[in-house]
Amino acid sequence: MFRGAEVRAADLSLKGDHGWAYRDVTLHVGPGCVTAITGQAGSGRTSLLLTLAGRMKPTGGTISVSGHTSPKAIRRIAALGLVDGVNDLEKALSVGEHLHERSPGLLRRGRQEARAARALELAGLDLPPDDRTLVRDLGREQRIRLGIALALLDEPGLLVVDNIDIGVTADQQEAIWRTLSDLAGLGLTIVASCVEDAPVPSVHLPSGAAPQEAAAHGAAAVPDGDGEDGGDDGHDGHEARREHKGHEGEDR
């Protein structure tokens, strides 16, 4: 169902005004695989996720997503699930309004409504696409799942999701990982961050930005792109694009 992206990074580093966010990270995530980025607050896990998704530009090392290396090209392949502080859901809007905002006209035709319903189903959120429940009335697990559903509307090859284990119970966390594994089974490549150990191959980022290395290998790799990435998009290592609101977000 999904054309999963192959993600490769070598000695990837990001340095900001206050020092290293992360440093010398090497990883390989095969198409249709799930990998976790673990670490405490301040370890740079969110910055690394945003870099892998093309929303931040690294200051060192190399990154390739389906053969593309520029943030602009990677953004066409990668979608953000919920990333706190970057694409926060609007608390005063309903589930249906978020779906409509993400894809204008989505609910005007039966085929498009079915597409939204399928995204919600794949994300494990048992609500109709025109649901009027406000985001403020959703629990943390439901908000994470809504963020996943919104990302799936982009039909990405790579999905990144932040803070899988924050604000949820152990059972809810386990259920979210199952959902992500199911999506990987459909071909989607997924990188998710958490604080504690994860039940999938992981890259751990200790505080202090020490060098890290890990690999998550899938089956057959998706053919690479042509390598022509269209140039730099002008973002530096201090920027993160807000997905829904169009504002600059603050990374951790």
Side-chain angles (χ1 to χ4, degrees):
M1 179 176 181
F2 295 97
R3 185 178 176 85
E6 182 176 27
V7 181
R8 292 184 179 274
D11 299 324
L12 201 63
S13 303
L14 177 64
K15 188 174 185 180
D17 294 337
H18 302 290
W20 295 102
Y22 59 83
R23 188 177 183 184
D24 297 334
V25 177
T26 295
L27 59 82
H28 171 220
V29 187
C33 292
V34 185
T35 292
I37 306 297
T38 68
Q40 298 296 318
S43 62
R45 63 179 191 274
T46 302
S47 296
L48 179 56
L49 281 184
L50 293 171
T51 304
L52 296 177
R55 272 66 176 184
M56 300 187 80
K57 183 180 177 182
T59 52
T62 61
I63 179 173
S64 170
V65 179
S66 287
H68 299 287
T69 58
S70 76
K72 182 177 180 179
I74 292 172
R75 284 199 299 272
R76 293 196 292 264
I77 301 168
L80 300 185
L82 188 61
V83 179
D84 297 325
V86 175
N87 62 345
D88 298 299
L89 302 171
E90 291 281 3
K91 295 181 180 179
L93 295 183
S94 68
V95 171
E97 287 170 329
H98 274 89
L99 290 165
H100 178 79
E101 183 182 77
R102 185 63 172 252
S103 297
L106 183 66
L107 305 183
R108 294 177 185 173
R109 290 191 252 175
R111 182 181 63 83
Q112 293 171 320
E113 184 172 349
R115 180 167 165 259
R118 179 59 171 162
L120 290 167
E121 178 186 0
L122 291 174
L125 187 56
D126 188 19
L127 294 172
D130 59 351
D131 189 84
R132 296 185 178 182
T133 304
L134 299 180
V135 164
R136 67 163 62 99
D137 296 324
L138 297 177
R140 170 68 179 177
E141 181 190 8
Q142 292 176 305
R143 294 197 300 274
I144 291 173
R145 292 183 181 278
L146 177 56
I148 293 171
L150 292 170
L152 294 180
L153 292 174
D154 293 341
E155 299 181 354
L158 170 64
L159 169 68
V160 303
V161 188
D162 199 20
N163 293 333
I164 290 295
D165 58 351
I166 292 180
V168 296
T169 67
D171 287 344
Q172 290 172 332
Q173 179 185 341
E174 183 179 345
I176 293 169
W177 282 118
R178 283 199 302 269
T179 295
L180 296 180
S181 294
D182 290 344
L183 287 169
L186 296 174
L188 185 59
T189 304
I190 300 170
V191 182
S193 80
C194 55
V195 176
E196 304 297 335
D197 292 340
V200 297
S202 304
V203 174
H204 180 67
L205 300 181
S207 299
Q212 294 299 307
E213 182 172 355
H217 299 280
V222 169
D224 285 344
D226 57 15
E228 299 297 323
D229 296 300
D232 197 343
D233 64 348
H235 285 196
D236 64 22
H238 307 290
E239 293 183 281
R241 187 165 64 98
R242 291 188 71 92
E243 291 295 291
H244 303 317
K245 300 178 186 178
H247 298 139
E248 187 176 299
E250 180 181 354
D251 177 65
R252 277 85 55 211

